Amino acid sequence: MVDERKREQVFTEDGQHLDEETLFVVSQIFKALSDPTRIRILNLLCTGEHSVNAIAETLNLSQSSVSHQLRFLKNLRLVKYRREGRTLYYSEDDDHVMNLLKQAIEHALHH
Amino acid sequence: MVDERKREQVFTEDGQHLDEETLFVVSQIFKALSDPTRIRILNLLCTGEHSVNAIAETLNLSQSSVSHQLRFLKNLRLVKYRREGRTLYYSEDDDHVMNLLKQAIEHALHH
DNA sequence: TATATATATGAGCATGTGTTCATGTATTGA
DNA sequence: TCAATACATGAACACATGCTCATATATATA
């Protein structure tokens, strides 16, 4: 039997109270990682920067779809880009989130 | 400038080729963590097992909503339950995924 | 057996999401 | 300036998602 008294909203190591903003940020991070296309793009960017067309060709996706997803990832500051002429080279921009992705991939592969 | 030759599908530490199933599993894990209600439920279960009604009352959610989400989490084997009379006590069932959640929460809090 | 309690489930609905298609914008080179 | 290249953007559509409401199921107790 468990103690069912309402927990006080103290901050403990786990099960701490989550304010609205934290809840939103956490859900956004995971939402970004919850789509197969975005996972493939981020996984590819693990190997270094790539142009939009390179991503589309390598992953066999439409240029438009890749561009839309890159905008999504850019808004969350998970990727960044650098311009060289007409070409934009995208690369990762959040070590911590990339780490979460790598952990989940490792977990899924070794099961 | 980056080497744009198509990557061979060798397995390297990062950026490895992701087969369909792995991709699906990874996306499902993150999808489970991408909803505020499920995050709150899992975060509460960090503190120990809770009945369905206790979860609903503590988090101020409807019984139906909690029950639906618990079914979702149970299908992914992220939670389990034990029966005691009419009451079902739910608890976490995947240390690794709970760890991903805790990391993301810590990351979001200290920013 | 009848009633109450705890939870599960299905339908329906509003909203969110990811894609394609068409087109717009920016940069380069002739 | 004109055409070509690389990428971005908006609309529209199909589909997924999470909630509520009503109801079903399972267990305990009188």
Side-chain angles (χ1 to χ4, degrees), chain A residues 66-80:
Chain A
V66 172
S67 192
H68 278 299
Q69 298 294 8
L70 286 172
R71 178 170 57 171
F72 182 106
L73 295 171
K74 179 114 190 8
N75 286 339
L76 286 178
R77 303 190 188 283
L78 301 190
V79 302
K80 61 181 193 274

Side-chain angles (χ1 to χ4, degrees), chain B residues 5-6 11-12 21 46 50 66 81 84 96 99 104 109:
Chain B
R5 283 173 304 180
K6 231 169 214 165
F11 284 69
T12 54
E21 195 197 328
C46 277
H50 291 265
V66 171
Y81 67 82
E84 191 168 311
H96 192 273
N99 225 318
L109 283 174

Side-chain angles (χ1 to χ4, degrees), chain B residues 15-38:
Chain B
Q16 55 203 268
H17 171 68
L18 299 178
D19 59 281
E20 277 287 335
E21 195 197 328
T22 302
L23 203 55
F24 181 73
V25 170
V26 172
S27 68
Q28 285 301 105
I29 289 174
F30 287 126
K31 197 162 305 231
L33 301 174
S34 73
D35 176 66
T37 299
R38 286 192 291 272

Side-chain angles (χ1 to χ4, degrees), chain A residues 35-79:
Chain A
D35 176 66
T37 299
R38 287 192 290 273
I39 293 173
R40 295 176 73 209
I41 291 174
L42 290 173
N43 186 60
L44 179 57
L45 294 184
C46 277
T47 66
E49 61 178 16
H50 291 264
S51 71
V52 177
N53 276 336
I55 296 170
E57 285 163 27
T58 303
L59 302 182
N60 201 30
L61 299 166
S62 76
Q63 178 266 318
S64 180
S65 182
V66 172
S67 192
H68 278 299
Q69 298 294 8
L70 286 172
R71 178 170 57 171
F72 182 106
L73 295 171
K74 179 114 190 8
N75 286 339
L76 286 178
R77 303 190 188 283
L78 301 190
V79 302

Side-chain angles (χ1 to χ4, degrees), chain B residues 5 7-10 16 21-22 28 31 45 47 60 64 71 78 87 97 105 107-108:
Chain B
R5 283 173 304 180
R7 296 184 62 252
E8 297 299 326
Q9 297 187 346
V10 279
Q16 55 203 268
E21 195 197 328
T22 302
Q28 285 301 105
K31 197 162 305 231
L45 294 184
T47 67
N60 200 29
S64 179
R71 178 170 58 171
L78 300 190
T87 304
V97 171
I105 290 174
H107 182 240

